[in-house]
């Protein structure tokens, strides 16, 4: 089973919580136990599994990544978004969530986030359910 | 088949070799060929597949990551471990090991490591065997 | 089904496009829908899914990674390639491509690249097709 949904991001750097959508795809699948592969078909947005509790943490992560990968530099890329590609490489284009009894085996503090690095945009998320 | 085991880390930054445990899970599964998804249900510890030969390399990697993501900075996160979250984003929360004939297809120099970034702690590792 | 192929890289830092080979493995598999796990059994080369359109972008990414992870530093590793291990950690040793109707569900701008960080070398790529 392959599912797909859209996410609207709101800023150049943004975190979109997609845990609810991933949970729904897992529930809709008729498999008791398996792996959900969450794939982002874009090159300037990635996916990560990170803390859901303290909102300022996400601002910290964004700030540090912007220091390491500054938006403006002597880049040769024809677009001005090289930093967004670098941050996507760091986060990765896919994440895995193991599930059992139709529920994701995420830790207490873990949620799944689409990481926007060149927004705001409408982004696609693809989820494959595997046994 | 889903397996789970615990790992005790020994320092704030630590590398715990979990190759033996992953290999055992693969052998216990009754599948000839497949993928083991190794998932860390924590937000300040990750997983990587890296060199098993020269111990100082791990100290080098730790040192460089601590320079890029300093422990103390002007973070707003309510805990003092923002750097640990950043390093977990870089390493990732899951790794894949392809296996055949009940043996992992790892390269000669590759082992699987839980990467502790906010230890010492007792950590959980979840392994899903997929066909 | 597990497939394996070789890639010859041409420089210390290199990007080898392996999209065609991954696509062929997916077509040869007799599975309509699934996930291809692309695994690099090396510790100084990784894999990423990134932009296929503007060649200078790859040079930008290489340049920034070399600034963050300089080749020469006070490393203790017995080889001189600690930076290559660090870049491999950042990119990761595996990538996932979801496919349907025997075609990879990659975004318009996405290709799959082996990232060489200690070449030129002959590298192995392992691809597992899962349902």
């Amino acid at each position: 089973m392959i599912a797909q949904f859209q996410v609207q991001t709101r800023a150049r750097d943004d975190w979109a919580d997609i845990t609810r959508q991933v949970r729904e795809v897992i529930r809709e699948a008729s498999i008791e136990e398996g792996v959900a592969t969450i794939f982002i078909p874009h090159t300037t947005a990635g996916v990560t599994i990170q803390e859901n509790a303290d909102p300022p943490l996400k601002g910290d992560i964004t700030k540090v990544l912007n220091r390491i990968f500054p938006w403006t530099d002597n880049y040769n890329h024809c677009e001005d978004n090289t930093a967004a590609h670098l941050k996507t490489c760091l986060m990765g284009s896919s994440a895995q969530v193991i599930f059992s009894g139709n529920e994701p085996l995420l830790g207490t503090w873990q949620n799944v986030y689409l990481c926007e690095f060149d927004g705001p945009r409408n982004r696609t998320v693809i989820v494959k359910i595997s046994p």
Side-chain angles (χ1 to χ4, degrees), chain A:
Chain A
M1 178 199 169
I2 298 174
Q4 194 169 309
F5 57 88
Q6 301 298 121
V7 175
Q8 178 62 46
T9 61
R10 303 152 303 173
R12 196 194 74 190
D13 295 292
D14 197 11
W15 294 71
D17 190 338
I18 57 172
T19 316
R20 181 182 57 76
Q21 294 95 316
V22 170
R23 195 182 295 271
E24 281 170 10
V25 173
I26 289 172
R27 285 183 184 161
E28 283 163 22
S30 55
I31 299 174
E32 176 71 12
E33 181 183 300
V35 180
T37 301
I38 300 133
F39 182 80
I40 311 297
H42 305 286
T43 57
T44 55
V47 60
T48 196
I49 296 178
Q50 260 298 324
E51 189 187 294
N52 51 31
D54 183 47
L57 173 66
K58 293 180 191 71
D60 283 350
I61 293 177
T62 298
K63 198 174 71 175
V64 173
L65 293 181
N66 284 336
R67 187 180 66 210
I68 298 171
F69 306 117
W71 192 259
T72 305
D73 205 338
N74 291 316
Y75 300 128
N76 293 311
H77 183 32
C78 62
E79 293 181 279
D80 64 351
N81 61 0
T82 291
H85 292 279
L86 278 155
K87 290 184 264 188
T88 302
C89 288
L90 185 144
M91 289 296 189
S93 298
S94 62
Q96 284 74 43
V97 173
I98 299 170
F99 60 91
S100 178
N102 292 309
E103 286 297 328
L105 298 182
L106 290 167
T108 313
W109 311 108
Q110 286 184 315
N111 273 18
V112 186
Y113 295 94
L114 177 138
C115 302
E116 174 64 80
F117 297 121
D118 193 19
R121 293 206 203 186
N122 195 265
R123 297 295 199 174
T124 299
V125 180
I126 304 174
V127 183
K128 167 76 177 91
I129 301 292
S130 302

